[in-house]
Amino acid sequence: MGFQGMKQIHMLPKINLRFSAWLMQKLDADSMRVVVSDKSSIELTEESVKLVFDLPMGSKIVSQGPAQGLALASEVMAFYGEVTNSHGQKGIHSLKAAEAYLLRPLTEELTELEIGHFQIAFAIFLVGHILAPTCKHDYVCLDFLESLVVPSQIGVFNWCRYVLKHIALAARKLQADLAKGISSINVGGCHLYLQVYYIDQLDLGLLNKPTGVYPRIPLYDYESVWKIIEHLRIDQTGEPMLSVYMAATEVCPQEKNLQAVGNEAGFNVARLDTEFGNTPRRTTLPLSLQRCQNSDVTPIRIPPFASPLECGPTQFSSFLKSRYPQHSGTKMPILLREHQARLVLHTNEF
């Protein structure tokens, strides 16, 4: 199927949604750039998605519309729908039904039809939980069904482009909700890729991940991602400031290899850019593979991630002293500070 990189993803019980929301706010969905500052931005490209997840980047475009009529015309898809209906009567959009099918015991005597069902269930489960999750429980968007009609050809579609399109849609929706003052904000799209790729561009010193590893996703487990996000937060003095290196202008050998893969599959940067509404551009390989090769690149200082609504322990302690001086020296401020620390921990970690 071409989804070998998915087998290398670590168990991530929780993802910092505040960090994802911050990245979504910084994303210019028209140019597909995370605008970190006036002088620095990080471009999201199909090659970068492939570098993180090792997803198929084929010549066929995953359908954007609900092509259920064509999809269900397939004998495999129709029978898979009947199978999933037996798991809660929720149809093929149910993630629980796909999971239940994947958990069925496998034998060496699987028929071609059963293999096709497994591939369909795997693709639905993967899209619904990682590549394009929605805010609805046990639900996956059915805009990719046409690519599942022939299970053996799932890998010939461009799933990297599909991931980027849903990230752009999610960013536009989040930014629109914030502009309207909507209190309940949902973060959709593949923000796992967004976090990993953004972090992979930063010069984090001792926290830097090894260069030259492909794909990048196995390098980022739950603990390391959480430590890096905590490291990115501005402390009480406003430091540290981290460096982001701008991409080099010369194409390195690794980038040529990725471009060759895209050219063989019929990848067209200009076509993607036209769909996003801007002029064609040349993409560059992520900086993690260039950091050790380009010593003459000038670092740009940018402020790391921090929420404007965050109240650290020092600010909260000062607030208690100024607002309630009569309780200074009692147990009450200590208990409140401990309670505030627990609240911050649960708020940051979803």
Side-chain angles (χ1 to χ4, degrees):
M1 289 180 64
F3 294 91
Q4 294 85 352
M6 296 295 99
K7 298 186 297 184
Q8 304 182 56
I9 296 180
H10 293 279
M11 290 294 294
L12 299 171
K14 298 178 182 179
I15 295 179
N16 192 310
L17 295 183
R18 291 181 66 189
F19 185 36
S20 296
W22 180 82
L23 289 170
M24 288 287 187
Q25 292 180 66
K26 296 288 185 180
L27 176 61
D28 182 352
D30 294 325
S31 62
M32 291 307 292
R33 287 181 174 274
V34 179
V35 183
V36 183
S37 67
D38 295 338
K39 298 180 179 180
S40 178
S41 64
I42 296 176
E43 185 178 22
L44 308 182
T45 65
E46 294 179 16
E47 291 92 341
S48 68
V49 179
K50 185 172 183 61
L51 187 81
V52 172
F53 286 145
D54 191 21
L55 293 178
M57 198 169 68
S59 58
K60 292 187 177 181
I61 300 176
V62 178
S63 175
Q64 299 182 46
Q68 297 186 37
L70 176 60
L72 295 179
S74 166
E75 177 185 356
V76 179
M77 286 296 301
F79 189 75
Y80 176 76
E82 296 178 6
V83 173
T84 55
N85 284 336
S86 64
H87 295 281
Q89 305 294 326
K90 291 188 177 181
I92 58 178
H93 71 268
S94 172
L95 294 175
K96 288 184 178 179
E99 181 180 2
Y101 195 90
L102 293 175
L103 292 177
R104 295 175 59 177
L106 300 178
T107 64
E108 296 181 357
E109 291 77 22
L110 286 177
T111 65
E112 185 177 349
L113 189 64
E114 290 173 327
I115 294 175
H117 292 164
F118 183 88
Q119 292 173 324
I120 292 172
F122 177 78
I124 291 175
F125 185 85
L126 182 63
V127 170
H129 284 291
I130 298 178
L131 302 185
T134 67
C135 59
K136 295 183 180 180
H137 174 67
D138 190 29
Y139 180 86
V140 60
C141 181
L142 298 178
D143 62 347
F144 62 98
L145 280 184
E146 187 177 349
S147 62
L148 308 183
V149 174
V150 182
S152 61
Q153 296 184 10
I154 292 176
V156 304
F157 287 85
N158 193 333
W159 292 95
C160 297
R161 175 178 297 190
Y162 180 78
V163 169
L164 289 182
K165 287 181 178 177
H166 274 270
I167 288 178
L169 291 173
R172 288 191 177 100
K173 184 180 185 305
L174 182 140
Q175 293 167 11
D177 289 346
L178 289 175
K180 294 177 183 178
I182 298 178
S183 57
S184 179
I185 302 296
N186 295 308
V187 182
C190 187
H191 42 101
L192 173 61
Y193 152 74
L194 201 58
Q195 287 193 15
V196 170
Y197 186 62
Y198 174 81
I199 290 173
D200 216 35
Q201 309 309 296
L202 302 180
D203 184 2
L204 301 170
L206 294 177
L207 294 179
N208 282 339
K209 296 297 183 180
T211 60
V213 177
Y214 174 83
R216 304 297 292 169
I217 189 61
L219 297 176
Y220 292 90
D221 56 16
Y222 174 73
E223 276 191 31
S224 64
V225 172
W226 183 252
K227 286 180 180 179
I228 291 173
I229 293 177
E230 285 298 304
H231 182 69
L232 292 176
R233 304 172 70 83
I234 300 177
D235 64 14
Q236 307 307 321
T237 62
E239 291 292 337
M241 298 290 283
L242 302 178
S243 298
V244 171
Y245 291 90
M246 300 302 293
T249 56
E250 183 178 356
V251 181
C252 58
Q254 294 92 334
E255 183 183 0
K256 291 180 180 179
N257 293 336
L258 284 179
Q259 289 180 343
V261 172
N263 292 335
E264 291 176 1
F267 168 67
N268 190 325
V269 178
R271 183 174 58 192
L272 174 63
D273 290 326
T274 301
E275 292 178 9
F276 278 129
N278 60 299
T279 56
R281 59 184 183 270
R282 187 187 72 82
T283 58
T284 55
L285 195 70
L287 307 173
S288 56
L289 299 183
Q290 301 176 3
R291 190 181 293 122
C292 297
Q293 302 175 3
N294 302 285
S295 57
D296 57 338
V297 179
T298 304
I300 294 180
R301 306 285 281 180
I302 64 167
F305 158 69
S307 170
L309 302 178
E310 180 182 0
C311 178
T314 302
Q315 290 94 333
F316 187 65
S317 179
S318 300
F319 170 78
L320 292 177
K321 289 180 182 179
S322 60
R323 187 68 178 271
Y324 305 103
Q326 67 275 21
H327 294 292
S328 180
T330 65
K331 291 184 178 180
M332 183 59 68
I334 299 177
L335 295 175
L336 289 174
R337 285 196 295 269
E338 291 177 353
H339 181 62
Q340 188 258 358
R342 286 192 293 269
L343 287 177
V344 170
L345 175 62
H346 290 295
T347 301
N348 290 343
E349 187 178 85
F350 289 88

